[in-house]
Amino acid sequence: MQPDFPITRDILLIGGGHCHALVLRQWGMKPMAGVRLRVINPSPIAPYTGMLPGAIAGHYTIDQIMIDLVRLCRFAGAEVILDRAVGLDPVAKTVALASGRSVAFDIASIDIGITSDLPQTEGFTDHGVSAKPLGGYAAKWEAFLQTAPEAPNLVIIGGGVGGVELALAQAYRMQQTGRRPTITVVDRNAQPLGNMGPKARAGMVDAMRRYGVDLHLNAHPVRILADAVELSDGTRLPSDFTLSVAGSRPQDWLQDTGLDLHQGFITVGPTLESSARDIFAVGDCAHLSHAPRPKSGVYAVREAPYLFHNLRARAAGAPLRRYQPQRDYLKLASLGDKRALAEKFGLRSGGAWLWWLKDNIDERFMAKFRDYPAMSAPKLPELRPRDLGAVMGAKPMCGGCGSKLPSGALGRALAVLPGADPDKTPGDDAAILRGPDGAQVLSTDHLRGFVSDPWLMGQLAAIHSLGDVWAMGAVPQLALAQIILPRASDVVGERFLADILDGAQSVFGPAGATLGGGHTTYGAEMVVGFTVTGTCAQPVPKRGAREGDVLILTKPLGTGIILAAEMQMIRPRSGLLGPIWRDCLASMARPMVADAAILTPVARAMSDVTGFGLAGHLCEMLGEGLTATLDHAALPVLDGAEGLAGQGVASTLAPANRAALRPEWHGPREDLLVDPQTCGGLLAAVSPAQADATLADLRAAGIPASIIGRVEGDPA
């Protein structure tokens, strides 16, 4: 996103296929001012097709074949929406998502790949595995390997190059684990490998013989069972793992888009534009009407420079480029072990050196998405205050609660406030207005943008603002919005605001609060906040814990570390950042209506864990003469947070949180204790007699709560 220029166009990439991944990388190197680039994909990672057989055979880990779309989108300055497209209106220019959301665009491109499932075959949905999408197949294969019998039966439906490659890969992996598999490739044709020349076909069939892979031709499945596949010729094949690689099937929702289709695939011309202006399609989901070609990732990769140019040209009103695919290309097929077979123009070659060549090509492709050019820090002026560099820091300032004023500075500033009226008190987490029938609590909170999706930002800001109301045991009542939008045209500004409010309403509505209005303005960046009220008979205090009380926490720690890693595009030493970030957001996006309902009747003290970290907020809960002992092993932690902390990743507020604590807080898991949380959990002090039953109630409600320690007397 270009903050120095108003946003006037929305470009939407639907799907995270190879072509779109390359376009995103090019966009990061050469962004276009005035354009908001958005990406819709159901997963935070996308598999690279070329390395799938190697991963199934065990030559690569699953992580090694995945493109981390979250890191890629941060590099590209693109907004990522983790959802699945299920519909498109080319006239209204909107995309319907599986979650029920609708996303508007000015220009769009579709790169959603294909599927190889067999929904028309009885039993496939329950007992079969589709090779595409690739990510699901790879995960199910790894799971199967953990439980497979000594002599498993495997059936692969589809005798094309992809089916045979995967059959050989599965055979090799099974042999490496000491198992004795029976593998059968089923194809409806009279001969397999129909797209290969005679010499290459003979080489692949010879490899199948070496691995003992059987061929069953002139038949197709009519029924998939949990332990068998029934074929059209009456054969019943035992099967512990049934995989479909049977050709390429377009995704069903394309049928209702109104776009011109060819056998279900989107028809495009030389410019890669569909029958609807401003809607492009690339990769396997597209049909090149001017030059039909078989489905292959090679064409998707070659289309990327043309799509990159044409998206920008359409936004600028410039001429489009025409793409003409090559007539043939080098086909490299894996043979199970580290050997490969090559074919081009009917000529065939094979051997270990071709595996080296294939591995080298694949590695060069994946290297494009492993490390990105570092973001250059703003250059300090020659004449400047001596402490300017120290205050700026070496890393970008965090969003969310990581951008809060440190507790020390905040406390000193608040000390100038006049004394409180007993009927209008500052309260603990929220101000309290007392009346004859109870109390009304009032709180305000806002967040500097840390996710670029306005809908998600509205949702998370609403949850975060309600945290103080829930922590005081109040029922949410009313919310007023305070929203700063990045500079944009009226049309794009309206989309921003509508998304934010819709995301917020998805929280306030079920929580029982009315979103009653507010204020909006344009500014340098997106900031979303809400003033909220709630009612209760008697507020739950922050300071009310007693010696012996049990401490219960309802959400895992680590959001500040993970959000900082995403902002800095950190590559974890193990695993991928995308799934870590996705799971972090899922935890943050869980409202705490049920948490508060269960804890309010039993909590002697309660607070929501936010910017000052678990340690800071726990200190606020402990009255004079009290301390607390934490069970570090019991602390719930988000997956990946501890590993990232070990790499030195921390929120910009963490050092100030650490400095505000007494020395005895330093110790194991210190980074997690001082990590600022956004949309953190409720921390409650409960009497020992009620703790176990309360924890059981929380967990029965699906809340990942934990007992993390006890309140004790201070020996000092």
Side-chain angles (χ1 to χ4, degrees):
M1 196 176 294
Q2 301 295 310
D4 296 331
F5 300 96
I7 303 166
T8 65
R9 289 288 183 276
D10 276 326
I11 295 181
L12 183 63
L13 303 182
I14 305 166
H18 300 355
C19 185
H20 280 179
L22 289 167
V23 166
L24 284 165
R25 191 180 188 282
Q26 288 178 279
W27 199 281
M29 303 294 289
K30 192 178 179 181
M32 186 176 187
V35 169
R36 175 171 61 157
L37 185 63
R38 313 177 82 183
V39 183
I40 296 171
N41 199 67
S43 172
I45 53 178
Y48 171 50
T49 313
M51 297 173 78
L52 178 65
I56 297 301
H59 307 315
Y60 309 114
T61 66
I62 298 300
D63 288 347
Q64 284 178 300
I65 73 167
M66 294 293 180
I67 298 170
D68 194 327
L69 290 177
V70 171
R71 290 182 66 238
L72 175 58
C73 285
R74 172 61 73 172
F75 171 70
E79 180 182 308
V80 59
I81 301 172
L82 297 181
D83 211 329
R84 185 184 302 278
V86 295
L88 181 145
D89 185 335
V91 178
K93 290 190 172 180
T94 58
V95 173
L97 305 183
S99 63
R101 289 178 59 184
S102 178
V103 179
F105 63 87
D106 297 300
I107 303 165
S109 175
I110 305 172
D111 185 11
I112 56 174
I114 54 179
T115 181
S116 58
D117 62 354
L118 300 171
Q120 74 282 2
T121 301
E122 182 184 349
F124 182 85
T125 302
D126 294 327
H127 307 301
V129 176
S130 174
K132 292 186 178 182
L134 308 179
Y137 160 44
K140 289 176 181 177
W141 171 247
E142 292 298 324
F144 174 70
L145 288 173
Q146 304 303 314
T147 59
E150 286 299 310
N153 295 293
L154 291 84
V155 174
I156 291 86
I157 303 166
V161 176
V164 172
E165 272 191 295
L166 293 176
L168 295 173
Q170 292 184 170
Y172 176 82
R173 184 74 171 275
M174 282 287 171
Q175 290 183 8
Q176 298 306 301
T177 61
R179 293 182 174 89
R180 303 178 305 281
T182 298
I183 302 178
T184 305
V185 174
V186 176
D187 196 88
R188 64 174 60 245
N189 299 304
Q191 69 175 6
L193 302 159
N195 289 331
M196 295 192 105
K199 295 180 180 178
R201 185 184 304 117
M204 294 287 283
V205 171
D206 183 59
M208 294 173 71
R209 290 196 191 98
R210 288 200 308 273
Y211 281 106
V213 176
D214 297 325
L215 270 172
H216 193 107
L217 302 175
N218 296 310
H220 62 273
V222 294
R223 190 179 181 203
I224 311 295
L225 305 172
D227 59 354
V229 176
E230 295 179 355
L231 302 180
S232 55
D233 61 3
T235 304
R236 189 178 192 274
L237 297 173
S239 181
D240 300 298
F241 189 88
T242 302
L243 175 70
S244 172
V245 201
S248 54
R249 193 175 72 81
Q251 295 196 27
D252 294 331
W253 65 267
L254 296 177
Q255 296 286 341
D256 300 321
T257 59
L259 301 176
D260 287 350
L261 304 177
H262 174 78
Q263 297 178 349
F265 300 100
I266 303 170
T267 300
V268 298
T271 63
L272 305 176
E273 193 169 26
S274 72
S275 57
R277 183 177 172 83
D278 298 331
I279 300 177
F280 298 79
V282 289
D284 287 350
C285 70
H287 167 69
L288 299 172
S289 61
H290 64 294
R293 294 290 188 275
K295 303 301 178 185
S296 171
V298 170
Y299 299 118
V301 170
R302 299 287 177 87
E303 287 167 347
Y306 296 87
L307 179 64
F308 175 71
H309 171 89
N310 289 350
L311 291 174
R312 295 158 63 90
R314 180 51 56 81
L320 306 184
R321 289 179 60 188
R322 298 169 66 87
Y323 167 68
Q324 181 63 40
Q326 67 268 42
R327 188 163 58 87
D328 199 4
Y329 62 94
L330 178 63
K331 305 177 189 71
L332 290 166
S334 302
L335 298 178
D337 56 5
K338 291 189 175 181
R339 294 182 307 120
L341 181 145
E343 182 192 33
K344 188 174 183 180
F345 298 125
L347 302 175
R348 170 231 162 170
S349 181
W353 74 272
L354 280 170
W355 168 265
W356 174 87
L357 174 64
K358 185 181 187 312
D359 179 62
N360 192 262
I361 293 171
D362 292 337
E363 170 60 25
R364 287 204 308 270
F365 180 84
M366 289 301 293
K368 298 176 186 289
F369 307 103
R370 192 171 297 125
D371 295 304
Y372 301 105
M375 296 180 181
S376 57
K379 188 176 181 181
L380 294 174
E382 193 169 325
L383 184 64
R384 62 183 185 272
R386 284 177 295 176
D387 59 350
L388 180 62
V391 173
M392 281 190 64
K395 299 174 182 177
M397 183 174 70
C398 287
C401 259
S403 60
K404 287 182 69 168
L405 191 69
S407 60
L410 179 62
R412 291 188 294 272
L414 292 177
V416 305
L417 292 176
D421 182 319
D423 293 328
K424 301 174 183 177
T425 63
D428 293 323
D429 282 321
I432 301 173
L433 301 175
R434 300 185 186 276
D437 299 322
Q440 184 179 51
V441 300
L442 175 68
S443 179
T444 189
D445 214 325
H446 71 262
L447 298 173
R448 178 174 181 255
F450 58 92
V451 291
S452 54
D453 177 4
W455 191 96
L456 183 58
M457 194 66 208
Q459 180 194 43
L460 296 178
I463 291 171
H464 190 75
S465 67
L466 286 174
D468 290 337
V469 174
W470 285 321
M472 297 194 76
V475 176
Q477 180 185 29
L478 180 70
L480 297 174
Q482 307 103 41
I483 298 171
I484 301 176
L485 302 174
R487 291 182 63 198
S489 67
D490 290 346
V491 171
V492 175
E494 181 182 337
R495 291 173 185 165
F496 261 107
L497 182 59
D499 280 348
I500 291 171
L501 296 178
D502 190 42
Q505 185 57 30
S506 74
V507 175
F508 287 131
T514 300
L515 184 53
H519 180 73
T520 60
T521 185
Y522 283 122
E525 61 181 358
M526 179 166 57
V527 178
V528 182
F530 298 95
T531 297
V532 292
T533 66
T535 58
C536 57
Q538 179 63 41
V540 179
K542 178 181 289 185
R543 286 204 176 196
R546 304 176 192 174
E547 185 173 348
D549 279 355
V550 173
L551 297 170
I552 296 177
L553 180 65
T554 67
K555 280 190 181 183
L557 303 172
T559 65
I561 292 167
I562 293 172
L563 295 178
E566 187 274 333
M567 180 173 283
Q568 299 168 41
M569 297 188 297
I570 300 295
R571 184 155 60 95
R573 291 196 184 110
S574 62
L576 297 166
L577 182 62
I580 293 172
W581 182 78
R582 173 201 59 201
D583 294 346
C584 172
L585 292 184
S587 176
M588 293 167 65
R590 184 181 68 78
M592 294 186 291
V593 177
D595 310 43
I598 294 170
L599 288 171
T600 295
V602 297
R604 288 173 171 167
M606 189 154 62
S607 180
D608 61 327
V609 180
T610 54
F612 301 138
L614 175 65
H617 289 281
L618 179 53
C619 280
E620 292 177 330
M621 292 175 64
L622 299 173
E624 193 70 31
L626 294 177
T627 185
T629 298
L630 298 180
D631 180 353
H632 291 277
L635 289 175
V637 180
L638 289 164
D639 287 345
E642 209 157 5
L644 289 167
Q647 293 179 230
V649 180
S651 168
T652 47
L653 186 60
N657 286 349
R658 182 179 284 106
L661 299 172
R662 294 176 293 177
E664 56 263 36
W665 282 101
H666 296 266
R669 293 189 141 179
E670 175 189 346
D671 294 329
L672 294 162
L673 293 177
V674 300
D675 184 46
Q677 304 301 288
T678 304
C679 302
L682 294 180
L683 176 63
V686 177
S687 73
Q690 295 175 300
D692 288 340
T694 301
L695 182 66
D697 289 343
L698 288 165
R699 291 184 171 173
I703 298 166
S706 300
I707 291 176
I708 63 167
R710 292 182 179 273
V711 178
E712 299 179 354
D714 189 344

